[in-house]
Amino acid sequence: MHPLLSLSVFWLLPLALMLEEDSPLGCDPRKSVPYHRDNAHLFQEEGVFNYSTMLLREDLNVLVLGAREALYALDLNDISKKLASVKWEVTEQQKAECKNKGKDPETECKNYIRILHKMEDNRMYVCGTNAFDPECNYMSYADGKLTLESKGEDGKGKCPFDPFQRYASIMVDNNLYSATSMNFLGSEPILMRSSPVSIRTEFKSSWLNEPSFVSMAQMPEGDKSEEGDDDKVYLFFSETAVECDCYNKLVVSRVARVCKGDLGGQRTLQKKWTSFLKARLDCPVLESQLPYIIQDTYRLCDPQQHWKTCLFYAVFTPQSDTSDLSAVCVYQVSDISRVFAEGKYKTPVPVETSFVKWVMYSGDVPVPRPGACINNEAREAGITQTLDLPDRTLQFIKDRPLMDQAIQPVGEKPVLVRRGATFTRIIVNQVQAADGEKYNVMFIGTEEGSMLKAVNYDGEMFIIEEIQLFQPPEPIKILKFSNVTDQLYAGSENGAAQIPLASCARSLSCMDCVLARDPYCGWDKVVGKCIALSNSQRELIQSVKEGDASLCPDAEHVKPTNQSIWPGGNLKLSCPSPSNLAKTSWERDNRPLTPSARLQPLQDGLLILNASDSDGGRYRCVSVERSKTAEYATTVADYQVRIAGSGRGGQILFPQPRTGGPSVAGLQAVVGLLVVSLLVLLAWNFYKGHLPLPWSCGKKSEQSQESHEEGGVHSSVPSQEPPKPAQVEDKPLMSGRDNGSSNNHSRGEAAFSAAGGENDAPELNLTSLQYIDDESEI
């Protein structure tokens, strides 16, 4: 067996029994909400991309949004309203230098805003990639304007060079903690605190080995600590496992932590972290043979509880293309802290095959404990800061920053596993439902631009809805939410979106509202609507754990809709399913409908093909949805279908013509208009002489005879008196056969005149028989 595969299977065998019948695999959202502009407030500006950095300034009622070469101040209640903006573009010289280093001038050689934090003086600290030359600055918002100060600072170690490289940062007590790359090539990853004393990690693979940084969070572990402990800063990332005894690279998920008061060592680890420790994070998914990779985390703390009860929600995706599952695992801070404070270390051991093997360290551990913060026990020993730590402790942590024990999630299994939707970001909001309990609602962004809203009810994962935020679909790069506005904000490559945490109006009936099991929403019997709990002082109907729709009052009966169809015609009866968890069925005349070639049930309705007189009747669409308590049926649609033209006794009644009404009057008006147009056309032709006037036919004949007597053989020449209108061309009717050439025309006229003279027949005026060969003359 391949060494990599054998190691993966060895890690996952103990987890197989944990994920049998109670696995949340394949959990579908109850409702799928397609994209619509009314779903959310949207913001985007033409020519600007990568809306991936956000800072909530609830004190200013502003959302500060960082994009490529631009920063915006948006109305926190409606981000489609831009309050202010400022450009931060690279110069042509910077772009040229970036291009000379082999980077794309149109994509990489731009300034991508990556760091955006609030300072204690209400200013904002902002950093950008700046054409692969990171730079930081200070920004303020006042009098409706965003202003960038001209105090550019070196951003190396604070902001990534590469705009497409993962990074993490956090501002703690005006000190910036950042995890990124220190150099242009991205080959020197570091975790650094910029001030007051610059502290960073060692450039050793045992510390950081090709990492991909995810997020950072602060934990107030020094608050009211009996041990006199220090606050911690946690870093979540993934990296190539140094402890893996295999030929191929194996990527694993990690959590690391440092102490806020760390100042580095005196001789060993000068200006380096003396408290850097890391451990593996497990999120076991049964189908996977390789560890899942962490993509994002969110720290959730109840302000009324101790910090040890805080939770880290994390989303994971597979590291191979053989699986299309994504997962959410939850970790307790107390479990993570215990591994670092009490767990065993891993140590490197050289072996004969000339590579290093990592095994559990079983020797003596120095005192003070390597990687520990300065606490009361250390202070009693005369060690008041990390500069006082002995070299033995510092050398130990320099060589062995990795813990042996992996950190398992709560319940030792994911709280959510979903197939098909690749998770990218997560945030969690705690809300109190009508039953008085608090529930953690997860909002999960995906690669497809949709957002899942899900809750875990006593081990049962329930996805309330999936909303499509962006069209065309594009990955959600950042998620934030505000407790002040109860709004959620998402950023993507081409824009930002804002939606409410509660979307109760999508439920139109009490049963639909209760079966949604949304802790934000309940049914108000007084107004007859599904509304947010925070907007009502009355008691609302809600059952989030059970989905007990029997609490609802009796619903009003659906009135039948009349539908007509001609014999032999087709008709579709619409019946949209109220939820993805419901099953619809059809009844005909209060009996279950039997599908046939002419009656075909569809996913969203019923199709009647080649209708006959026997297909008339009452058709009812019934939806059945099961919750934890029972199955609940409701009528979605009701139709009374009549075969048009069918009367009593089976006689066919043919349609009768209408003799009155707007259609008859309109027809009369059209006929009148055609008559008037014809009269005008005739008058115009009489005026042009194209048609002879009835009363002048006899006069023209007499004038022709007189002209013939005077003109002899030239009788074909038209008389000059009385004058007639100008003509395009005169042609005899017979000229149509020989194409009317001028020579044939003359010979024909002469011959005709001579013949007339010999037979003494009455002369014929050819001009009165003009040939009209051009439609434009009509």
Side-chain angles (χ1 to χ4, degrees), residues 417-429:
V417 178
R418 177 84 193 282
R419 186 182 299 279
T422 304
F423 296 166
T424 58
R425 297 291 183 267
I426 184 171
I427 61 172
V428 186
N429 183 40

Side-chain angles (χ1 to χ4, degrees), residues 524 531-540:
D524 191 326
I531 62 175
L533 268 66
S534 58
N535 296 337
S536 177
Q537 302 298 324
R538 293 186 290 269
E539 183 178 351
L540 304 181

Side-chain angles (χ1 to χ4, degrees), residues 381-437:
I383 302 173
T384 59
Q385 55 183 348
T386 59
L387 293 171
D388 302 330
L389 288 171
D391 288 341
R392 186 168 179 263
T393 295
L394 297 177
Q395 190 62 47
F396 187 98
I397 199 63
K398 182 178 180 179
D399 298 333
R400 305 172 183 88
L402 178 61
M403 306 306 296
D404 179 68
Q405 182 181 350
I407 298 170
Q408 299 296 329
V410 175
E412 297 188 348
K413 64 181 179 181
V415 295
L416 172 63
V417 178
R418 177 84 193 282
R419 186 182 299 279
T422 304
F423 296 166
T424 58
R425 297 291 183 267
I426 184 171
I427 61 172
V428 186
N429 183 40
Q430 192 174 78
V431 58
Q432 184 171 338
D435 59 8
E437 291 192 34

Side-chain angles (χ1 to χ4, degrees), residues 14 19 36 113 146 253 262 374 388-389 482 562 622 678 699 703 733 740 758 778:
L19 299 169
H36 195 281
I113 306 302
L146 277 176
S253 301
D262 198 336
I374 303 299
D388 302 330
L389 288 171
S482 169
N562 292 323
V622 179
L678 182 60
K699 294 180 181 180
Q703 291 169 358
L733 290 175
E758 291 177 1
I778 300 177

